Amino acid sequence: MNRGFFEYFSKGLRTSASLLLKGGKYVRYYLYYFMSVLGRCIPVVGSVFWVADVRRAKIALREKELTVLRPLESVDTGRSFGTAVLSFWWQSLVFLGGLIAIGLLGALLFLCGRWIAWNLELQTLWVLPVVFLLPAIIAAAGYMLSMFLLFAPTAYLIDSGSKAGASGMLAASVETMRRAGKGTYFLNVLVPQLCKAAYGGIAGLVFYLLSGLGSAASNAVASAVAGTVWAIVAIGLYIVFAPVLDLASSIANVQLFDDIAIDAETMNDRVKGLFVKRCAVGNALADKGRDESLESLFAKTPTERTDPPDTRYVPPTDWADKMKTFADDDESGATDENGAQQSAQSNDTEGEQA
């Protein structure tokens, strides 16, 4: 997530100030600076220094250290070196190709304006062609700015160690800046340059005023001395503070890309559609002997389902036919009422015969 220009640049400025102003590592800074300036003049080798600048900013941010040779670690192998070179040249071709296309369009517009001005017999033949050329100039400026912003994270992605190729790095860079971060990156780069430009303007104005202290010959020597002293002081101050701003800009951009950069290697691993034709469900863990260990983490007491008893009331309908009276008996234990009367009559008859 983009945390904003003030968050990134303030932390970058504190880090660079602690390294340069407090740590006094100006010798290492300028040694790497002039080495990179000379190295960029070499057509092939020079393209690796834009990746080395990112590694140097990462080391300064995370290890609070400035080094000279360690920034080249990210491009000292064949694969990373080839990716850095191809990315640089392909980016340059895209940049130049767009400018050539816009330039051809601008030339066509210029010729149209010139032909119209010539047919109208205007006294100033160059005014109308320049007016026709303005859209092409604006388009070229916008195109250069957009390419500057869209390809900004390329060096960071190469230094991240992704196995994607040069085309993948450029695609991931464009996709990263297309989503967010363009304004923050632009301010991270613009603000230090504006500060240095403002300082140069103020220093130049002071030099002009000191050099013109007096027009008379008697004051010419004093003006020259004052101007020279101020020039030495101004250059010394620039040598001290300009690296702080430049390193702060690089560190701020590294923090920004840490938050918003897309992994070039996995950028295209997206599921666009899912169509299920057949599905089979099985216990895959049982074959590997891990089901019991997983089930032991949960309660395994089974809950049996018990149906409630039938408590519905059914009123009796045929109870009268089945109603009987029971009585105790010495031999059978229980006889009905009719059986008891027959037994008594038989006993009386036997008694009379006797």
Side-chain angles (χ1 to χ4, degrees), residues 114-174:
R114 185 60 181 258
W115 180 78
I116 294 173
W118 181 76
N119 285 331
L120 295 177
E121 297 181 355
L122 299 177
Q123 294 182 354
T124 54
L125 297 179
W126 59 271
V127 175
L128 192 60
V130 170
V131 173
F132 274 66
L133 188 61
L134 284 178
I137 296 175
I138 297 174
Y143 180 78
M144 289 188 293
L145 179 60
S146 62
M147 291 296 101
F148 170 73
L149 295 176
L150 292 177
F151 290 132
T154 305
Y156 176 88
L157 294 174
I158 295 173
D159 183 72
S160 64
S162 176
K163 296 181 180 179
S167 59
M169 296 294 181
L170 296 179
S173 175
V174 172

Side-chain angles (χ1 to χ4, degrees), residues 153-318:
T154 305
Y156 176 88
L157 294 174
I158 295 173
D159 183 72
S160 64
S162 176
K163 296 181 180 179
S167 59
M169 296 294 181
L170 296 179
S173 175
V174 172
E175 184 65 20
T176 296
M177 300 304 289
R178 188 185 65 83
R179 297 182 179 184
K182 293 182 287 294
T184 304
Y185 177 80
F186 182 74
L187 291 176
N188 287 340
V189 176
L190 180 64
V191 169
Q193 304 304 322
L194 289 179
C195 293
K196 292 190 293 184
Y199 175 80
I202 295 173
L205 179 62
V206 173
F207 177 79
Y208 174 78
L209 294 176
L210 291 176
S211 299
L213 287 175
S215 58
S218 59
N219 295 328
V221 176
S223 299
V225 171
T228 303
V229 171
W230 170 248
I232 295 174
V233 173
I235 293 174
L237 291 175
Y238 184 85
I239 292 174
V240 171
F241 288 102
V244 176
L245 295 175
D246 291 337
L247 186 59
S249 176
S250 299
I251 295 174
N253 289 328
V254 165
Q255 296 177 85
L256 172 64
F257 297 146
D258 282 340
D259 293 338
I260 68 172
I262 298 175
D263 188 2
E265 191 173 357
T266 61
M267 185 184 66
N268 294 323
D269 295 342
R270 298 190 299 264
V271 178
K272 297 182 179 180
L274 184 62
F275 302 93
V276 179
K277 294 183 178 181
R278 182 179 299 177
C279 181
V281 179
N283 189 3
L285 296 176
D287 298 335
K288 299 181 180 180
R290 291 180 293 185
D291 52 346
E292 294 183 357
S293 60
L294 291 177
E295 290 179 359
S296 62
L297 300 176
F298 306 94
K300 295 171 33 176
T301 304
T303 56
E304 298 180 357
R305 179 180 178 181
T306 57
D307 296 330
D310 191 1
T311 58
R312 293 176 299 173
Y313 173 73
V314 179
T317 56
D318 53 350

Side-chain angles (χ1 to χ4, degrees), residues 320-334:
D321 296 336
K322 297 180 180 180
M323 189 67 182
K324 295 181 181 180
T325 302
F326 296 92
D328 294 335
D329 190 80
D330 295 335
E331 296 179 355
S332 60

